[in-house]
Amino acid sequence: MSIEEQSNLRLGPDSNIIYPIQVQYCGNCSLPIEYCEYYPEYEKCKQWLERNLPTEFEKVKLEDNNTEVGGGEDEKKRQKRGGKGMLKTKKKEDVPKLVTVSRAPRGKKKSVTVVTGLSTFDIDLKVAAKFFGSKFACGSSVTGDDEIVIQGDVKDELFEVIPEKWPQIDEDSIDDLGDQKR
């Protein structure tokens, strides 16, 4: 680099900028407003800017008009993956609504009761495990995605307790798998 090029590069604050720099953030995406265009729901950001910061909205509107004239057919592609902007949707699969009850050995003479399928009826498994633990005076815990393990052999009582506690589950929806190996 020559001496002339080094003299053009300046260190320190710029005389054209007022310090400290005030950054304005969007109320919709919580990004600085110049980065809103990279947010997947850019139209909502524009609406927020129009309502709350009309002067900044005018700048954004002018910039959009300039890019549209120059861009023509090449429309900007929005980011489609990851980040805060992606809305997560739960996929409702058509899983048959069935509660299964089975008994599994634990040690030599002891056993546990395994209940699966309660989440297909939109029942909170932690609440159900706590209910079973207090109802049968034993330990009960959630293991896996849709499985509750109850200490002891309480399989026969569950056929009466479950429909009593949760009326949306009738006795025909409860299936006995018998003794299982864990």
Side-chain angles (χ1 to χ4, degrees):
M1 205 184 259
S2 68
I3 296 174
E4 290 176 18
E5 290 175 343
Q6 287 180 353
S7 65
N8 289 341
L9 297 175
R10 58 184 294 155
L11 298 173
D14 190 352
S15 59
N16 298 329
I17 298 176
I18 301 170
Y19 292 96
I21 298 174
Q22 298 293 323
V23 179
Q24 292 179 325
Y25 293 94
C26 175
N28 183 49
C29 64
S30 72
L31 295 173
I33 56 174
E34 57 266 17
Y35 293 109
C36 283
E37 65 181 286
Y38 302 109
Y39 191 69
E41 297 173 355
Y42 182 46
E43 294 304 317
K44 288 184 180 178
C45 292
K46 278 186 180 178
Q47 292 170 0
W48 186 88
L49 277 173
E50 187 175 17
R51 277 182 273 130
N52 299 309
L53 299 171
T55 56
E56 295 298 324
F57 177 71
E58 290 299 322
K59 292 178 188 175
V60 169
K61 205 164 124 180
L62 289 173
E63 290 173 8
D64 282 352
N65 289 339
N66 291 342
T67 56
E68 285 176 13
V69 171
E73 295 173 13
D74 295 333
E75 220 178 276
K76 268 191 181 176
K77 293 188 178 180
R78 302 273 170 234
Q79 182 176 354
K80 299 273 188 204
R81 50 163 223 253
K84 184 179 175 184
M86 288 299 288
L87 301 174
K88 295 180 177 88
T89 56
K90 290 186 177 179
K91 293 182 180 177
K92 290 273 185 173
E93 297 173 8
D94 292 333
V95 179
K97 291 189 171 191
L98 182 68
V99 176
T100 58
V101 179
S102 63
R103 184 174 45 219
R106 184 180 74 91
K108 293 183 181 178
K109 296 181 181 178
K110 299 184 179 191
S111 62
V112 293
T113 306
V114 180
V115 181
T116 58
L118 285 176
S119 65
T120 59
F121 289 93
D122 296 327
I123 295 172
D124 188 10
L125 295 180
K126 289 182 180 180
V127 172
K130 189 167 177 100
F131 169 74
F132 292 140
S134 62
K135 177 75 176 175
F136 301 119
C138 63
S140 177
S141 62
V142 178
T143 58
D145 285 341
D146 187 19
E147 183 179 75
I148 297 176
V149 175
I150 307 167
Q151 292 180 357
D153 181 11
V154 293
K155 183 174 69 168
D156 298 331
E157 291 93 344
L158 285 174
F159 289 101
E160 298 163 4
V161 171
I162 291 176
E164 185 180 305
K165 172 73 175 169
W166 296 285
Q168 69 264 32
I169 304 173
D170 58 344
E171 285 189 34
D172 298 334
S173 300
I174 303 173
D175 191 22
D176 184 2
L177 296 180
D179 291 344
Q180 300 285 321
K181 289 185 179 179
R182 285 196 89 192

